[in-house]
Every structure is written in C-alpha cells, then in structure tokens.
Amino acid sequence: MATPAKRKAGTSDPGESSSSGSRSGRSRRGAGSAGTAGGGRAELQSPYVEGSIVRITMENFLTYDFCEVYPGPHLNMIVGANGTGKSSIVCAICLGLAGKPSFIGRADKVGLYVKRGHAKGVVEIELQKTPSNLIITREISVVNNQSTWCVNKKPSSLKMVEEQIAALNIQVGNLCQFLPQDKVGDFAKLSKTELLEATEKSIGPPDMYQFHCELKNFRQRERELENSCKEKTNILEKMKQRNERYKQDVERYYEHKRHLDLIEMLERKRPWVEYENIRQQYEEVKQSRDHQKEELRKLKAAQCPLTQQIQETEKQCRNLDTKIKEKTAEIKETSQKCKQKQDALDKKDKQIDEIKLALRMKRDEEMDRQKRIQNTRKMIEDWQNELKSTENCENLQPQIYSINNKLRLLEDEKSNIDGEMGDLRRERENLGREKKITDCIIQFNNMMNMKEEKLRGRFRDTYNALMWLRENKGQFKRNVCEPMMLEINMKDNKYAKYIENHISANDMRAFVFESQEDMEIFLKEVRDNQKLRVNAVCAPNESFAGRKPSRSIEELHRYGFFSYLRELFDAPQAVINYLCFQYGVHNVPVGTEKTRSMIERLRETKLRQIYTAEERYSVKVSTYTNQNISSNTHLRAAQFLTVTVDAEERRHLETQLMEINTRLQSLDFQLSTLSEKQKGLEHKDNELRQQKKELFERKNKRKQLESKISMKHESLRRMEQDAINLEEETQRTNVKIKEINVQKARLVTELMQLINVSSLLIDLVLQSTTVTSTKNRLASEHTTATTQLRTAEQRFKELEERRRTLLENSKERLRKASQVCNVTLDQRLPETFQNAFQALPSTLDEIDALLNEEKSKASCFSDLTASVVEEYTKRVAEINQVAEELEQKKNDLEKYRQDISQAKERWLNPLKQLVEQINEKFSHFFSAMQCAGEVDLHAENEEEYDKYGIRIRVKFRSNTQLHELTPHHQSGGERSVSTMLYLMALQELNRCPFRVVDEINQGMDPVNERRVFDVVVKTACKESTSQYFFITPKLLQNLTYAEKMTVLFVCNGPAMMEPSKWNLKAFCRRRRRLQQVN
C-alpha cells in the first residue's frame, strides 16, 4: 500500500535541464499522491524475504514534501506520467541505502536531491529483518552537502550503515540489482568481466566473488612470482656469465702466479748452475795446466840435437852456391835463346788455328746463302699463286660505286629520323614541364593524409576499419563511403566549426552505406571478428539531398543569414543524403553577428535551429505546456574539417595529368619505334661500310703482291751472285798450313841443341836444391819446435791465470747462490730447493730459454691483481645466494599454483553451474518471444582469471546469427529486451532481497513490451523470488496481471487532495456508486 504524497510546483529533478519558457511559472500545481492497487500483507507470517523494503518515507526530497510508500513483497509496478516523481522513489531507495549519487547518474552532489527552498531533506527506509525490522534514516543537509545517519532511530555512522546493508546482501551499486533510468544504457556497456562480477555479487554464493578475487590475487601473485623467477633466472644467468669472465681472469691470475713462481725458482737455481759450471771449468783448467807443464819439459829436452844438424847443412849449402855462381852468366844466355825459340813455335801454332777458322766461316756462310735462296724461291712461288687467284681491280670498282650510293641514301634516311626524334624529344620535354601539376596533386594528397592522421590519432579503431575497407571494397554490392570527416570537404575552412558542431562526433567518424546488407557485412567483420569499436550508418533510399529549404536564403538575408549548411561543403551523394535526412543541413541557416543581435525577431521565422557567428540556437516545443523553449550553445573550435581540398580543381588536375601521361606514353612509343628503326639503319650502314672496306682491301692486295714479288726477285739475283768456291778455299788453306809446319820443324831442332848445352848446370842446381831442402827442413823443424815451446810456455801461463780467475769466480758465484737461497756458505742447501731444482733444466741455456719463455708468458698477463680473486670469490657467494632465492621463489610459485588449483576448483565449477542455470532461463525467455539468446562463460585464457566474463549473445531475426550484446550492434529496444530478460533470468536465482529496474521498456516496440511484461509477471510473482520494482510511465492495454502484484500509481496536479485526507477505501466505494448510477 502507499499513502498519499504531497508535491509542490516549481521544482525539477536535478538530472533534468530547464530553459526559458519550459518551467517559468511559479503557481501551485497541486498535491501529488502515490496509491496502491492489489496485493496485501499477511498477518501471521511475513511474505517479505530478508532485506526486502517494507516502507519508504521521503520528506522534502526532490518533488515530494512528504510521501510514504509501502511496496508489496513481490512485483511492484510504479506507474505514472513523466515528471510525476517515479524516479524520485528510485533515488530515495539508492541514497537511503548508502548509495552514492554517481550510482543514479543524475546530480553528483547529495545536497541537490533536497527539494528546492528547503535546507534539509530526509529519506527513511524500513527493511524486513528477523526478529525486528531494520530502519535506516538519512538526513541530507544542503548547506555543507553532508548527511547524518540513524539506525533504528539511533545515530550511527556511514560505515555501520554499510555493514548492516551488506549483511542483507543489498548492492545498490550493482546494475544486476539496481538499474536506474539513467543507467539502463550502461548495462549493455558493461564488459564481460564487469557483468560476471556483478552477477557473482548478485546471485552467486557468498564466497563465490571472494574466491574469484582470491584467484585474481593469486594469479597476480603468480605472475609476479613468474616474473620474479624469470628476473632472478636472468640475473643468475648474467651473474654466471659475468663471473665466467671473472673466472677466466682468476685462472689467468693463478697461471700468472705459477709463471712468476717458476721464474723465481729459475732465478734461484741459475746462480747454482753458474757456480757448478765455473767449478767444473776450474777442475778442467787445473788438469790442463798440469798436463801442459809436463809437455813443456819434454819440448826443451828434444830441441838440442836439431840445432847441430842445422849448422852442418848450412856449411854444404855455401860450397854449392859458390860453384853455381860461376856458371850463372852462361845459363842466362842459353835460357834467353830457348825462350825466343819457344815463342816462335807458339806463334806458328796460332797462325794455323786462324787459317782453319777462316775456312770454317766460309763454309757456314755458303750454307746460309743456299738456305736463303731456297726460302726466297718458295715465297716467290706462293705469292705468284696467290696473285693468280686475285681478281682484277677493274671488276671491283662498280661494286664500290654501288655501295657508296647506298651509304648516301642511308645517311639521308638517318638524318630524317634524327629530325623526327628531336621534335618528339622537345615535345616530351614540354610535356614533362607541364607534368609539374603532379606536385599540386601530391599537395592535395598530403592534405588528405593529414585528415587520415587526425583520424588515426583520435579514433584508431575507425582508422583500422578504414584500412580494411580499402582492401576489401570488392565484397560490397554498392558504394561505401569512408568516415564522414574524410568525405566532407569544406569550401572554406573557416565554416568548419558549424558542420562539426552540427554533426555528432559519432557520425563524423561513421562509415556511410547505401545498402543495409553491405552494412551488416561490414559490422560483422569489424565489430564481431576484429572487435573494433566503429560506427556505421545507412543512407536513406529516398533522395533528401535535392530537397529545397523551407525558406530561400534571400528571404533570410535581412536577418544576417548568408547560407544554409548544405552549401558550405562538398561530399558524396550518399553522405549529403544522410545529413539532409538526419540533421536537416539543407534547412539550417548560418548567420553573422547581425543575426545574434536580431535573435528575438527570429521567432517569426519559425526556424528550429540556426547558427550565428559563434553560437548555436535551438528551439523546442514543450510536451506539457506547448511553449517554445530556446537554448544557445557556444560553438567549439573545429578539429577535423579544417583541412580543405578543392575537389573540382583536383579532378581537373588529375584529368589533365592523365592526358599528359597518355601523350607521354604515345611519344615514348614513337621514340622507341624510331630508335629501333635507327638501330636497324646503323646496323645496315655498318654492314655496307664493312663490304666497302673488304673491296678496297681486295683491290690493294694485287698491287701489294706484285710489288713484293718484284722485290724478292731482285734479292734472289743478288744472293746468287755472291756464291763462294769452297774447293779453292780448301786448297789455299792446306798450302798455308804446310808452309808453317816446315818453319816449326826448323825451330824445334835449334831448341834441342840449346837444351843439351845447359845440362851440366842443371846437375849443380839439383845438388844445391837437395842440400837447401834438407837445411830448410831442419830449420823448419827447429822453428816448429821453438814455436811449440813458446806456445807451450804461453799456454801454461794462460792456464795458470785462468785457474786463478776461475777460482775467484767460483767463490763469488757460491756466495751469490747462497745469498739468493738465504743460506750461509757452510750450510747445506735446503731439501725443498733441492727437490724443486731437480724438476728444472740443468743447463744455463735451457734455464735462460725457459726463463725468457716464462717471462714472455708472464708479461702477457697485464692488469691482474689479487682483487680479481677476491671479487670472483665474492660473486660466487652472491650467485649461490641468488640461486637459493630463486629456488625459494620456485617453491613459492609451486605452492601458489597448488592454491590456485584448489581455489579454481571451488570457484569455477559452481560458477559454470550458475551460468548454465542462467543460460537455461535466458534461452527459455527468448524462445518464448520467438527469438534466440544464450549466456556463456567466456575466457580467452583459462589461467587469466581477471579476463573471465559472461557473454550475452542474442538474435532477434531468424535470418541472422547470434551476435554479442554491445552498445553499438543492437538497437535501443533490443538492448532493453536483452537486459530485462537477463535480469529476469537472475530473478529466481537471486540472493539479493530486491531488484529495481527504472523505465527499461521505453525503447521496446509493443510486441516485445507485452512479451517482456508477461515474463516479468510470471517470474517476479513466484513464491521463491525476491521483491521486484518495475518503474514505467505507461502500460499497454489488456496486459495480464497477477494477484501478488502491487501497483503503485504516482499522480500530481492542482486537483490532488492533501495526503492526510486520502482514503483508499472511501475512494473505491465512491467509484462503485458512480458505476451503479451510470
């Protein structure tokens, strides 16, 4: 039941806007009341479920002075005309149950819900609760925009109120439970994830949403752990890689140290080896000195007999020398004569050799002449044969004349072709200069690119759909226009602000289709398949572009108007047709500041929309008062249409460019043809010149052959005249040799006589030579013995000196070696050194070679210090620590995955059952309406729990497929039907105590509205269902009502009585009496 409600005039809902002429009156419009029809409350057992609303009291709240409403336990139909206060009850429920103003979608401050002219307003709601009802009171203050709360008439805090409401599972912020009028459209905008969460909160078990949140948190933590593990693994890998580099440095450090230790040990052993070498040298030198001393004694004893023999031999030599001197003069003269005879014999032998050589040269010369004569005769014969085969020169001259004539004709033809090609090239150059209009076309294209860049920057989905459309235009039967912001081209960009303020932003980026079927194909691809948020419109079949305005622009010139919107831009026919139909651009004039100054006089023109220089004026007729309500809006600056492209000029330039390109192609073809012809003439010219060259060569060849043959005949004659008689030359040579041999025999006889004379002198010389030889031998032996003696003495002295030097060096080396090893001269070398020295080379050369090698190796290890080892050890410890942390992270990750698996099982299985139940009822409701619909649990990735969602798919026509419920694809009425049936599918499963739906049937057609009403009545009036509030300004006739329904009528007007005087029973009795009288 509901008590009467009082309402005063002059107030309005904060969500409604008023302007001059709409609600200017201040007269009292009368009282308002809310009454009930049908339904009652049980006396013994309450039919209200826990948390249902038993009573709503409003005082100075929105349109009400005071009103008290008693809703029924099941379906509550709140009916009343627009503006009577139906939604005020919805606002009272929301704000009275700790809801925020933003949930309602009207005013953003709670103080604006207090009735105008009052400082405070009160909302009190009584909720069903065992054992006693819960009464929540909210007093709203306008001054500080604050609220005070009471629970069961006792002051309380907002937090305590929220806890009490949450305990009853009341969620006024959940669209599945509380759907205000201004939030009806938001339900279809809910994402699948948001719809799932709202459904879980509304009808799921108390722990279902909690499990879902835990799963999301677990998953988030799991991702964090996975990322942490990956990060730790990467860090560990990098540390290992970096430490591997350090490891190499450490190994190099230790290798360097081994080299240094070996160098140190080699340097310790080297003095000992040097000492041992010097000591051995000393022993060897000492032995050599003793041996040399014995040798010196033996040499001195052997030298005395040799001296006596030398003295005797010298005496014999002196006697022989005296005898030889006596014969010396005679020997000299005989020797001189022998020498002269021998020289004469040698000269004769040389003369014989020269005569024989001259004869050989004559023979060789004659043989060479014979060969040359033979070769020359062969060449003359070959040339004579070739001359016989050569044509006569007189036969070749006509052919040469013919070729010359052909060459002149070719030259003329080539000149003609060069002239033609020159003319064509000049024409092509002129066309190339004219082709600079391409720059203008590129400039136009750049302007279009600027518009497309703006589209991509502001509406990326629309840009992607545009790219797809350009690649797939063949899929559509009729023309498809690109987004209007690209197709509309302003004639003057200073007027762009009028078009952009007049056309909505959604339509500015909408694609325009000429066919509804093409639009369905496009939307199915880009919305359903590519998930792009794009807009599309279909131009009307009837032509609106050619319609004339209601008044000509000339008639409006006196008001400052200069054009209609239609005349300010160019666009394709389909776009203009749609804009004339949807926005009436052909009937909206544009004016100047003069128009703004004459705005009051414009009423007589009866124009509904006009534009001044900087403002837009709109005139509407009030539904209730039939008064004109005007509003003005400041124009926004243009954003999209500021780039202007002269389409006519661009088409003209493109046509001109096409003609130039066609002519250029023709010229290129002609040039190519002439070039090929020119190449053919060049080829023919080259062939003729080659023939001419060959004829000239044949003509000159005969003359050359005749000349060569004549020259060779002359050469042959000379060679035949130069013949040599070899027999005569041989005879002359033999005679000369015979004469020389006779002279040689005479000289030999004389020489033998001289040799016999000097034989006596030779005997004396031989004796002297023998004695001299003996003396020389003995002298040599004495000299050798003396030299050996002196050498032995010198050697002995050197060995003695070397012995003393080696002894001193040995002592010095021993001292240095002992000092290097830190031992005294009388101490024994430590065993550690002895063992180390045994592994090292034993000679100085080997030690020096190894020492140089080790020093070279050690020098390669630069910049290595002990800090490298310390750093490496430190990093190894860090790596071990990171490895332990990584292992701990992996254990934690495994534990989280186990927890996720358990939580998923607790959450997902009940959720699937719940969604299946919703789908069963939702599909049943749609089937009853001869439509199709289904609800399913959607998840792209089963492990991403924050991406799970409920997907609603519906089909209202038999020839279409199921489409996902979105804010764009379905019409407003279809979205309302889908929303209502989904909420009814939740009704029987609902854990919430009540549900509120405000004016959801406004966009439905009568058939769907009747079907939905039947579903609501059947579902909400069952025993097991919770309380339901259905707000509507109107109802269809002959609807089916149930006994458990409660109908609350909200009325207002000047004839309404005071709330305290209202009596429903008396009203019914009077109504029955009137019916009986009639």
Side-chain angles (χ1 to χ4, degrees):
M1 300 293 291
T3 62
K6 180 180 179 182
R7 179 180 178 188
K8 293 182 179 179
T11 63
S12 64
D13 288 354
E16 298 175 354
S17 62
S18 65
S19 60
S20 60
S22 61
R23 291 187 181 180
S24 59
R26 290 292 180 181
S27 62
R28 183 179 180 87
R29 295 170 59 192
S33 65
T36 66
R41 288 182 289 175
E43 295 290 338
L44 298 177
Q45 183 176 1
S46 174
Y48 292 89
V49 299
E50 189 87 355
S52 297
I53 298 175
V54 178
R55 174 176 58 87
I56 305 170
T57 302
M58 297 166 286
E59 184 177 350
N60 298 328
F61 185 79
L62 289 176
T63 58
Y64 295 104
D65 292 331
F66 178 84
C67 182
E68 203 166 39
V69 181
Y70 291 87
H74 298 291
L75 177 60
N76 291 275
M77 300 290 296
I78 302 178
V79 185
N82 289 330
T84 55
K86 304 183 302 303
S87 296
S88 298
I89 299 174
V90 176
C91 295
I93 295 173
C94 178
L95 297 178
L97 295 177
K100 297 179 181 178
S102 59
F103 293 166
I104 305 171
R106 287 187 167 187
D108 55 348
K109 296 181 180 179
V110 71
L112 298 176
Y113 287 87
V114 178
K115 187 174 182 180
R116 189 179 299 176
H118 294 270
K120 293 182 179 180
V122 178
V123 175
E124 185 173 275
I125 297 179
E126 182 178 351
L127 302 174
Q128 175 69 27
K129 189 178 180 182
T130 306
S132 59
N133 290 351
L134 178 67
I135 300 174
I136 298 175
T137 307
R138 181 175 190 174
E139 184 177 292
I140 304 170
S141 176
V142 177
V143 178
N144 53 9
N145 201 44
Q146 297 293 323
S147 300
T148 57
W149 297 87
C150 291
V151 176
N152 294 330
K153 306 299 183 181
K154 296 179 181 179
S156 180
S157 65
L158 175 60
K159 184 176 181 180
M160 292 179 62
V161 172
E162 289 175 343
E163 289 175 354
Q164 292 279 354
I165 293 170
L168 296 173
N169 198 34
I170 297 174
Q171 306 166 22
V172 291
N174 188 342
L175 294 182
C176 288
Q177 180 175 347
F178 193 89
L179 193 60
Q181 178 181 352
D182 295 323
K183 292 287 184 176
V184 171
D186 292 347
F187 185 87
K189 296 179 182 178
L190 287 176
S191 66
K192 293 186 282 289
T193 303
E194 292 171 340
L195 182 59
L196 173 62
E197 292 179 355
T199 304
E200 286 177 335
K201 293 176 185 177
S202 178
I203 64 171
D207 53 358
M208 178 176 285
Y209 180 69
Q210 181 181 353
F211 287 153
H212 191 185
C213 293
E214 288 179 0
L215 271 175
K216 289 190 286 186
N217 294 333
F218 283 155
R219 177 55 183 158
Q220 179 64 26
R221 179 59 180 161
E222 181 187 19
R223 280 196 292 263
E224 292 174 359
L225 286 172
E226 287 176 349
N227 294 334
S228 179
C229 286
K230 289 180 182 177
E231 183 179 352
K232 288 286 184 185
T233 303
N234 292 335
I235 291 173
L236 184 61
E237 187 63 27
K238 289 179 181 177
M239 290 177 70
K240 286 182 178 179
Q241 292 175 358
R242 190 161 53 245
N243 221 37
E244 279 298 318
R245 295 194 293 271
Y246 276 101
K247 184 179 180 181
Q248 296 174 2
D249 291 341
V250 170
E251 291 175 353
R252 292 175 68 244
Y253 172 81
Y254 283 121
E255 186 177 355
H256 183 220
K257 191 171 184 305
R258 286 194 298 273
H259 290 308
L260 294 178
D261 293 342
L262 182 56
I263 290 170
E264 182 182 2
M265 195 57 65
L266 288 169
E267 290 176 345
R268 287 177 184 271
K269 183 175 180 180
R270 194 178 191 284
W272 287 99
V273 174
E274 290 177 345
Y275 162 72
E276 184 63 25
N277 290 343
I278 293 174
R279 189 188 65 79
Q280 290 177 1
Q281 291 177 17
Y282 170 76
E283 293 295 334
E284 292 174 357
V285 169
K286 184 179 178 183
Q287 291 179 4
S288 298
R289 187 205 64 169
D290 295 342
H291 178 71
Q292 192 65 32
K293 187 176 181 181
E294 181 64 21
E295 286 246 351
L296 184 61
R297 186 186 62 79
K298 291 180 179 179
L299 287 172
K300 287 181 178 180
Q303 195 173 15
C304 292
L306 191 60
T307 303
Q308 294 177 359
Q309 292 179 5
I310 291 172
Q311 291 174 355
E312 292 176 357
T313 306
E314 288 179 347
K315 186 177 178 180
Q316 291 178 4
C317 283
R318 285 194 296 271
N319 294 329
L320 289 172
D321 288 340
T322 303
K323 293 178 180 181
I324 290 171
K325 286 179 180 178
E326 292 176 354
K327 297 290 183 178
T328 301
E330 186 178 356
I331 291 171
K332 276 186 179 182
E333 185 180 355
T334 303
S335 297
Q336 184 67 30
K337 290 180 179 180
C338 287
K339 186 174 181 305
Q340 291 176 356
K341 297 297 180 181
Q342 185 64 43
D343 291 340
L345 285 173
D346 292 339
K347 187 175 180 182
K348 295 300 178 180
D349 289 334
K350 194 176 291 185
Q351 287 178 357
I352 292 172
D353 291 338
E354 289 176 355
I355 291 170
K356 290 180 179 180
L357 178 62
L359 180 61
R360 281 198 302 271
M361 290 176 66
K362 292 286 184 178
R363 288 174 179 171
D364 292 342
E365 184 179 352
E366 180 61 19
M367 289 177 66
D368 182 62
R369 187 184 68 82
Q370 293 294 336
K371 287 181 181 179
R372 284 189 286 113
I373 290 173
Q374 185 178 359
N375 291 334
T376 302
R377 287 174 177 170
K378 181 70 170 63
M379 290 175 65
I380 291 172
E381 184 180 357
D382 292 339
W383 285 345
Q384 286 176 344
N385 293 332
E386 188 176 355
L387 182 62
K388 291 177 182 179
S389 62
T390 305
E391 297 180 20
N392 196 346
C393 300
E394 297 176 356
N395 298 331
L396 299 176
Q397 193 61 38
Q399 299 180 29
I400 295 173
Y401 288 153
S402 175
I403 290 175
N404 287 334
N405 292 331
K406 291 179 180 179
L407 286 173
R408 281 194 294 272
L409 293 175
L410 282 177
E411 287 296 330
D412 294 341
E413 194 171 354
K414 284 165 61 178
S415 299
N416 294 334
I417 291 175
D418 288 339
E420 291 181 21
M421 292 181 69
D423 295 339
L424 292 175
R425 287 194 183 99
R426 284 190 291 275
E427 184 178 358
R428 196 180 189 286
E429 289 175 1
N430 294 333
L431 289 174
R433 285 191 290 270
E434 293 179 8
K435 200 177 177 183
K436 290 183 179 178
I437 59 174
T438 307
D439 297 337
C440 300
I441 296 175
I442 292 172
Q443 186 176 0
F444 285 135
N445 292 335
N446 291 338
M447 292 180 181
M448 289 302 297
N449 291 338
M450 290 171 60
K451 297 175 78 171
E452 290 180 11
E453 285 299 321
K454 286 186 178 181
L455 177 67
R456 181 167 66 173
R458 292 291 299 275
F459 310 109
R460 189 55 183 248
D461 285 1
T462 305
Y463 180 81
N464 292 337
L466 173 63
M467 295 298 103
W468 180 88
L469 174 64
R470 288 178 176 176
E471 294 175 359
N472 299 274
K473 281 197 172 182
Q475 297 185 20
F476 304 101
K477 297 179 180 178
R478 302 186 65 180
N479 183 42
V480 181
C481 296
E482 295 181 356
M484 293 188 199
M485 62 181 291
L486 299 181
E487 297 286 7
I488 293 176
N489 184 47
M490 299 303 302
K491 296 179 180 178
D492 191 336
N493 58 10
K494 70 180 180 181
Y495 299 133
K497 60 183 178 181
Y498 300 119
I499 304 302
E500 290 194 23
N501 280 273
H502 193 73
I503 303 172
S504 69
N506 286 337
D507 278 351
M508 285 291 289
R509 58 189 177 97
F511 295 83
V512 181
F513 291 82
E514 296 180 0
S515 166
Q516 183 72 26
E517 183 180 354
D518 287 346
M519 187 171 74
E520 290 289 338
I521 295 172
F522 176 77
L523 292 177
K524 179 180 179 182
E525 171 62 29
V526 299
R527 284 184 179 174
D528 298 344
N529 298 342
Q530 300 185 24
K531 308 299 181 186
L532 300 178
R533 300 179 63 184
V534 299
N535 294 336
V537 297
C538 187
N541 295 327
E542 183 182 353
S543 177
F544 285 84
R547 292 194 176 184
K548 295 182 179 180
S550 57
R551 303 183 65 174
S552 67
I553 194 64
E554 289 76 11
E555 296 179 27
L556 301 176
H557 280 168
R558 58 195 179 96
Y559 299 106
F561 294 108
F562 61 88
S563 176
Y564 283 101
L565 287 179
R566 168 65 186 87
E567 310 305 326
L568 299 179
F569 64 90
D570 291 322
Q573 190 68 19
V575 176
I576 295 176
N577 202 21
Y578 175 79
L579 293 178
C580 290
F581 168 73
Q582 186 69 23
Y583 293 95
V585 294
H586 63 291
N587 208 27
V588 178
V590 182
T592 60
E593 287 297 330
K594 178 183 177 181
T595 310
R596 186 173 181 276
S597 64
M598 302 178 67
I599 198 67
E600 294 299 327
R601 294 179 56 188
L602 288 174
R603 298 179 187 276
E604 62 191 38
T605 63
K606 296 183 181 181
L607 294 170
R608 296 302 179 191
Q609 289 188 66
I610 63 171
Y611 284 89
T612 64
E614 297 296 335
E615 291 179 331
R616 170 184 178 179
Y617 285 84
S618 300
V619 178
K620 296 181 180 179
V621 179
S622 173
T623 308
Y624 301 106
T625 63
N626 287 329
Q627 295 179 346
N628 288 336
I629 303 171
S630 64
S631 63
N632 64 309
T633 308
H634 188 76
L635 299 181
R636 303 184 309 274
Q639 299 179 8
F640 307 114
L641 303 179
T642 53
V643 178
T644 302
V645 179
D646 191 336
E648 186 63 31
E649 177 66 17
R650 181 181 178 182
R651 283 192 293 272
H652 174 70
L653 291 176
E654 287 178 346
T655 303
Q656 191 175 350
L657 179 63
M658 190 178 300
E659 293 175 354
I660 291 173
N661 287 333
T662 303
R663 180 57 183 158
L664 283 173
Q665 290 177 0
S666 175
L667 290 175
D668 289 340
F669 177 75
Q670 293 179 33
L671 283 170
S672 175
T673 304
L674 290 175
S675 178
E676 290 297 325
K677 189 174 180 180
Q678 188 180 44
K679 288 179 181 178
L681 293 176
E682 289 287 347
H683 180 69
K684 193 172 182 180
D685 182 90
N686 292 334
E687 289 180 350
L688 290 174
R689 291 184 184 278
Q690 183 64 29
Q691 293 175 11
K692 182 179 178 181
K693 180 180 177 182
E694 291 175 356
L695 289 174
F696 273 113
E697 288 177 351
R698 288 164 60 188
K699 181 179 179 181
N700 295 329
K701 187 175 181 181
R702 186 175 183 86
K703 292 180 180 180
Q704 291 173 356
L705 288 174
E706 291 175 350
S707 176
K708 286 180 180 179
I709 291 171
S710 175
M711 290 172 64
K712 285 298 177 180
H713 275 299
E714 181 64 24
S715 176
L716 180 63
R717 185 183 62 78
R718 287 196 299 269
M719 285 188 291
E720 289 175 346
Q721 289 176 356
D722 295 336
I724 299 172
N725 193 341
L726 292 177
E727 293 181 0
E728 293 179 359
E729 291 294 332
T730 302
Q731 291 175 1
R732 282 197 292 271
T733 300
N734 291 334
V735 170
K736 290 179 181 179
I737 292 173
K738 189 174 181 180
E739 291 176 356
I740 292 171
N741 286 333
V742 171
Q743 295 173 4
K744 281 178 66 179
R746 195 165 44 247
L747 288 172
V748 168
T749 302
E750 293 174 355
L751 180 62
M752 292 303 296
Q753 291 175 358
L754 290 173
I755 291 172
N756 291 329
V757 172
S758 60
S759 59
L760 295 175
L761 181 62
I762 291 171
D763 291 338
L764 290 175
V765 172
L766 288 175
Q767 291 177 11
S768 175
T769 302
T770 302
V771 174
T772 301
S773 175
T774 302
K775 186 192 72 168
N776 290 338
R777 180 180 60 78
L778 292 174
S780 176
E781 290 177 358
H782 181 268
T783 303
T784 300
T786 303
T787 302
Q788 288 178 351
L789 182 61
R790 289 174 183 172
T791 302
E793 289 176 348
Q794 182 65 30
R795 178 66 176 165
F796 177 77
K797 291 179 182 178
E798 290 176 355
L799 289 173
E800 181 62 23
E801 182 65 26
R802 182 164 175 74
R803 186 191 66 81
R804 286 196 300 270
T805 302
L806 288 173
L807 181 60
E808 292 175 359
N809 287 343
S810 177
K811 291 179 180 179
E812 180 64 24
R813 296 295 180 183
L814 179 60
R815 184 184 62 78
K816 288 183 179 180
S818 300
Q819 185 177 359
V820 169
C821 294
N822 296 323
V823 296
T824 59
L825 294 175
D826 55 348
Q827 280 183 333
R828 182 180 176 81
L829 189 66
E831 188 175 352
T832 55
F833 287 113
Q834 293 181 12
N835 296 334
F837 288 169
Q838 287 178 359
L840 298 177
S842 57
T843 65
L844 278 179
D845 291 340
E846 292 176 346
I847 288 175
D848 288 341
L850 183 58
L851 192 60
N852 291 332
E853 181 182 351
E854 292 299 319
K855 285 182 178 179
S856 298
K857 290 180 180 179
S859 65
C860 296
F861 299 89
S862 59
D863 301 331
L864 291 177
T865 61
S867 61
V868 175
V869 180
E870 296 176 2
E871 184 69 20
Y872 176 76
T873 307
K874 180 181 176 183
R875 288 188 179 277
V876 168
E878 291 177 354
I879 288 173
N880 293 335
Q881 182 180 353
V882 173
E884 292 176 0
E885 293 176 358
L886 177 60
E887 187 62 29
Q888 182 63 37
K889 294 282 186 184
K890 288 181 178 178
N891 294 336
D892 294 344
L893 179 60
E894 186 61 30
K895 182 177 179 302
Y896 262 94
R897 285 174 175 166
Q898 293 175 1
D899 294 341
I900 288 174
S901 179
Q902 296 172 2
K904 180 179 179 181
E905 187 175 352
R906 293 196 304 268
W907 170 72
L908 190 57
N909 292 335
L911 177 62
K912 287 181 177 179
Q913 295 176 3
L914 184 64
V915 173
E916 185 61 33
Q917 293 175 0
I918 296 173
N919 179 52
E920 182 180 349
K921 295 184 179 299
F922 188 77
S923 300
H924 173 70
F925 292 153
F926 261 87
S927 297
M929 297 177 61
Q930 285 81 46
C931 299
E934 66 177 33
V935 177
D936 62 359
L937 186 63
H938 180 74
E940 296 178 357
N941 184 353
E942 291 188 0
E943 303 302 323
E944 299 295 332
Y945 304 106
D946 55 345
K947 302 294 176 60
Y948 273 78
I950 287 181
R951 179 173 61 179
I952 301 176
R953 298 195 299 165
V954 295
K955 181 177 74 171
F956 289 90
R957 286 169 290 278
S958 60
N959 59 348
T960 60
Q961 297 179 347
L962 287 170
H963 288 285
E964 186 175 340
L965 182 65
T966 65
H968 311 290
H969 194 279
Q970 291 80 15
S971 66
E974 291 171 346
R975 292 197 298 271
S976 298
V977 171
S978 304
T979 301
M980 195 68 188
L981 293 183
Y982 182 78
L983 295 178
M984 296 314 302
L986 303 182
Q987 181 66 14
E988 295 183 12
L989 305 172
N990 204 358
R991 290 192 306 109
C992 63
F994 65 86
R995 177 173 284 106
V996 178
V997 179
D998 189 2
E999 296 192 18
I1000 198 172
N1001 61 331
Q1002 291 306 294
M1004 301 181 192
D1005 58 77
V1007 176
N1008 284 334
E1009 184 177 356
R1010 184 177 299 277
R1011 291 172 177 174
V1012 170
F1013 184 84
D1014 292 341
V1015 172
V1016 171
V1017 171
K1018 291 178 182 177
T1019 306
C1021 292
K1022 293 182 180 179
E1023 288 290 341
S1024 59
T1025 59
S1026 57
Q1027 193 178 38
Y1028 202 97
F1029 290 88
F1030 187 86
I1031 294 89
T1032 178
K1034 61 179 179 61
L1035 289 172
L1036 299 174
Q1037 295 181 356
N1038 301 320
L1039 293 174
T1040 302
Y1041 296 91
E1043 289 294 330
K1044 294 183 179 181
M1045 287 177 59
T1046 300
V1047 182
L1048 302 172
F1049 294 97
V1050 181
C1051 305
N1052 67 3
M1056 295 298 296
M1057 64 176 62
E1058 295 293 331
S1060 58
K1061 298 178 181 179
W1062 172 255
N1063 188 315
L1064 180 61
K1065 293 182 179 180
F1067 173 78
C1068 292
R1069 285 196 299 272
R1070 288 196 300 274
R1071 185 62 181 170
R1072 282 194 292 271
R1073 284 199 298 271
L1074 286 172
Q1075 288 178 347
Q1076 292 173 0
V1077 170
N1078 293 335

